[in-house]
Amino acid sequence: MHAVSISGTGVFTPEQTISNAELVAAFNAYADRQNALHADEIERGEREPVPQSDEGFIVKASGIESRYVLDKKGTLDPEIMHPVLPERSDDELSVMAEMALKAATVALEKSGRTAADIDAVICAASNHERAYPAIAIEVQQALGINGFAFDMNIACSSATFGIQAAADMIRSGSARAILMVNPEICSAHLEWRDRDCHFIFGDVCTAVILERADLATAPGRFEIVSTRCLTQFSNNIRNNNGFLRRTREGHMQDRRDMLFRQEGRKVFKQVVPIVIDLILGHLADEDLKPGDLERLWLHQANKGMNDMIGARVLGRTPEKGEQPNILQDYANTSSAGSIIAFSKYSDDLEPGALGVICSFGAGYSAGSVIVRKAA
Ligand code: CO8
């Protein structure tokens, strides 16, 4: 069995941002229009008015201050309220593949690797823009990588599950090095007209190069100590949009269940203990103590959740920098969140330093990756 290194990471961040103030102004304009349009029904008590959103609530409930998006204009237009991304022909690069290439280029450079060194591509994300051919195969072709490629989806845990899948293949010898990408276009499967969730998500893409540790040369690389994945079925985060939609009566209608929806409070309460148990159990199985950890790179959904998980795992309030958050700038970017945190806040660690990359979300699903900075 080969040991496995994470030799490089890359983040592609879209250029456009939406601040909470801009988001709330657009939402409230939409709400005013809806309420004016349906004034009679609201007056007769036949319809509930659309309530206003509030910047103060968003920051307090989530810690999110801004998000990056692929299309700000459509998303903030009260007549549209979703991103408008022009359709591309089958001969053009898909949007997810384009994002993946940008993140992958950075990760390859950091790892000191070229396409010739890579034997496989995994595209791990919470939604894929088409059923097939796999986005990963398109990325493989665009980069000129030999070998094989496939897509996978475990929602917010796609990246940590992707790391485990890649690490297992490298350990067993079926690949020397693997590119794992996480293009997350969350804005296109979010209901921007729903006050309860319109502030939660943003767009981004992350990339990770994993390779045999004995072949790795990149400065600042990490070795994977071990990985642990867990799933437990729950309907509390759900999106029913799938290909069977067209077989159902009324499929053309605007159905709320065809976009992201969640019972946010239940998710918060139920997922936090699952994650704490996962990390503590994983550490114990490796004969490690929470005190051995120098960093936690957690999934970026909610600041309150991360504060609670960090405090319960470490047994004390984490010091500044021990558990870096990026969600204030990026919002929840599904599977990419913990990888953005890892990519941006890991260079300063000394050789031998231990940390945990941990994601959690729909499924429920949770993944824990214990890493050690290489000498
Ligand atoms: N402005 C003002 N008030 C609001 C707003 C708003 N924008 N939104 C809600 N309120 C109101 C509610 O209506 C409610 O009012 P009332 O008390 O009168 O009923 C009150 O504020 C409190 O609402 P909540 O109880 O919902 O508020 P919480 O304190 O629970 O915070 C959160 C809501 C932030 C959603 C919180 O519950 C949370 O973060 N939960 C965890 C969520 C989580 O981690 N989910 C993971 C999802 S990600 C995932 O798995 C990947 C899915 C795939 C990607 C999808 C991409 C789109």
Side-chain angles (χ1 to χ4, degrees), residues 53-54 57 156 186 189 195-196 262 264-265 301-302 332 361-362:
S53 186
D54 179 68
F57 170 84
C156 285
C186 298
H189 47 112
R195 175 178 85 145
D196 289 354
Q262 73 168 354
R265 250 188 200 199
N302 181 295
N332 182 342

Side-chain angles (χ1 to χ4, degrees), residues 334-356:
S334 196
S335 68
S338 57
I339 307 298
I340 304 174
F342 175 68
S343 186
K344 289 188 185 290
Y345 297 99
S346 54
D347 284 349
D348 60 307
L349 290 175
E350 296 293 327
L354 281 165
V356 173

